[in-house]
Amino acid sequence: MLGGPGSGKGTQCKLIQDKFDFVHISAGDCLREYLIKCEKGEVDTKHQAVVEDCINNGKIVPVQITLELMKIKMENEIEKRKKQEKEEEAKTGEATNPQEQAEKKSFSFDVFDDTIKLKNDNLDHYHEKLRYQNGIHENKEVVEILKKNKFEQKAKYKFIIDGFPRNYDNFDGWMSVIGNYAYVHLCLFLYCDEDTMIKRCMNRGLMCGRVDDNMDTLRKRFETHKNGCMPIINIFLNENKCIFINANKNIEEVWNDIQYVFTNM
C-alpha cells in the first residue's frame, strides 16, 4: 500500500490485517521500532545515525537497511504462524495440509533497468481514469484490474506492505532481496489532497508525538513522495496491478472501498 504522509495507510492496513488475515508490515514502523530498540540497547546500533537523519529530514532510508528490517519481521511473523499452526494441530490432532503454491512471477520483467524506467515515464494521463468520487465499484478501470488479478489460489502467508517501495532504488532492492521470497499481487495507492494530509499529520503529531509530523519535515516528505513514489505507481499501472483508493473520504468510506477490493481479489 502506497500513499503520501497522512493518507491513512497505517489505519487501513491495520483494518486489513484484522479482517482479511494479512500481516501488516510497515516500512516506517520497522525503522521507528529499530530506533527504539537502539535506545534500549537491544540491537546493533550501526544504522542508528543514518535512520535518525533520514526520518528527521524526510529522506528515504537506504534500501538495504529498510529491507533488512522488513525481511526479519516477515520471517518472524511466518515463524510465529507456523508455531500457532503446530499448537492447533496438537489440540485437534489434525495436520494442516499445505497447498502447493505454483511459482508465479510478480512482474512481466525479471530485471529492473533503465528500459523499465523509461517505459514508466509520463503516465499522468492514465491516473485520472482510476480516480473516482463515489464508490470504487463504479469505476470500470478498477473493476477490470481486479478481474485481471483474481487470486487463482489462496496464499498461506499474506502480507500487506505499508509504505514500500518509495522510489526506484527501493523497488530494485525489493526485486533483488525479496523478489523470489514473496509474490506481489496488487498495489493499493491511497490518493489524497495535500491539504488533507497535512491536517491529518499535524493532528497525529499532537496526539502521538511522531517526530516527523511537523511542517518542515512534512514539506520534504511530500516532495520525496512526489518525486520518488509516483514513478513506482506508474510501474504498477503498466503491470495492471494498481488500484487507486480515494483517501480524501473518511476512514469508514475508505475502508468500504478497500473491503470491496479484498473481497473481489
Side-chain angles (χ1 to χ4, degrees):
M1 183 179 287
L2 296 175
S7 57
K9 299 185 298 296
T11 299
Q12 297 299 331
C13 282
K14 286 180 175 66
L15 292 170
I16 292 166
Q17 176 172 261
D18 293 342
K19 178 156 186 179
F20 294 103
D21 196 32
F22 277 68
V23 176
H24 175 205
I25 303 289
S26 163
D29 285 352
C30 286
L31 295 167
R32 285 185 285 272
E33 286 167 11
Y34 168 72
L35 291 180
I36 290 170
K37 288 178 180 178
C38 284
E39 292 297 327
K40 293 180 178 179
E42 296 175 357
V43 293
D44 189 333
T45 60
K46 61 182 178 181
H47 302 311
Q48 184 177 5
V50 174
V51 174
E52 282 180 343
D53 176 63
C54 289
I55 288 178
N56 291 336
N57 290 289
K59 297 186 291 186
I60 292 177
V61 175
V63 64
Q64 296 86 353
I65 297 174
T66 307
L67 281 172
E68 177 186 326
L69 297 174
M70 287 172 64
K71 192 171 183 186
I72 288 170
K73 188 150 190 175
M74 290 172 78
E75 289 170 343
N76 288 344
E77 288 293 338
I78 288 175
E79 287 306 311
K80 190 190 298 182
R81 293 207 168 201
K82 284 181 177 177
K83 185 179 178 182
Q84 290 170 348
E85 287 164 7
K86 285 182 180 178
E87 289 172 353
E88 192 62 31
E89 286 174 15
K91 285 180 185 176
T92 62
E94 295 179 5
T96 304
N97 294 319
Q99 277 188 311
E100 284 291 323
Q101 297 291 323
E103 276 198 29
K104 197 174 179 183
K105 286 171 57 177
S106 294
F107 302 98
S108 61
F109 50 88
D110 294 312
V111 179
F112 182 65
D113 55 22
D114 287 341
T115 59
I116 302 299
K117 294 178 186 178
L118 186 64
K119 183 182 177 183
N120 291 289
D121 285 342
N122 304 317
L123 276 185
D124 288 348
H125 67 281
Y126 189 61
H127 292 176
E128 292 307 315
K129 294 181 182 178
L130 287 163
R131 296 177 188 270
Y132 55 89
Q133 292 301 318
N134 300 315
I136 192 171
H137 61 280
E138 296 178 17
N139 187 300
K140 292 179 181 178
E141 300 279 340
V142 170
V143 173
E144 192 60 33
I145 290 171
L146 281 170
K147 284 181 182 176
K148 287 178 181 175
N149 290 279
K150 196 80 174 172
F151 267 134
E152 294 171 10
Q153 58 190 117
K154 300 298 180 185
K156 189 171 184 182
Y157 305 114
K158 300 173 291 186
F159 296 91
I160 179 85
I161 306 297
D162 173 359
F164 194 93
R166 291 177 183 264
N167 60 14
Y168 281 148
D169 187 45
N170 279 186
F171 188 88
D172 191 29
W174 176 276
M175 292 285 288
S176 301
V177 177
I178 305 184
N180 295 324
Y181 183 70
Y183 173 74
V184 179
H185 189 70
L186 277 176
C187 170
L188 297 188
F189 174 53
L190 273 58
Y191 66 93
C192 192
D193 296 336
E194 193 168 303
D195 287 345
T196 301
M197 291 191 284
I198 289 172
K199 185 177 178 181
R200 290 174 182 172
C201 285
M202 296 306 288
N203 287 337
R204 181 174 64 188
L206 290 172
M207 287 189 291
C208 66
R210 265 184 55 169
V211 295
D212 52 347
D213 281 340
N214 61 79
M215 278 309 303
D216 287 341
T217 306
L218 277 174
R219 288 192 187 96
K220 296 171 186 173
R221 290 169 68 196
F222 283 127
E223 192 64 25
T224 298
H225 169 69
K226 180 181 177 183
N227 295 332
C229 190
M230 293 314 297
I232 301 303
I233 297 301
N234 287 344
I235 292 176
F236 284 100
L237 284 174
N238 260 328
E239 295 287 314
N240 281 311
K241 282 177 173 282
C242 188
I243 301 285
F244 276 39
I245 300 290
N246 185 350
N248 290 298
K249 303 193 263 187
N250 63 42
I251 291 172
E252 290 75 18
E253 290 174 320
V254 174
W255 175 230
N256 285 338
D257 284 343
I258 288 177
Q259 286 185 91
Y260 176 81
V261 171
F262 277 81
T263 53
N264 286 279
M265 285 200 305

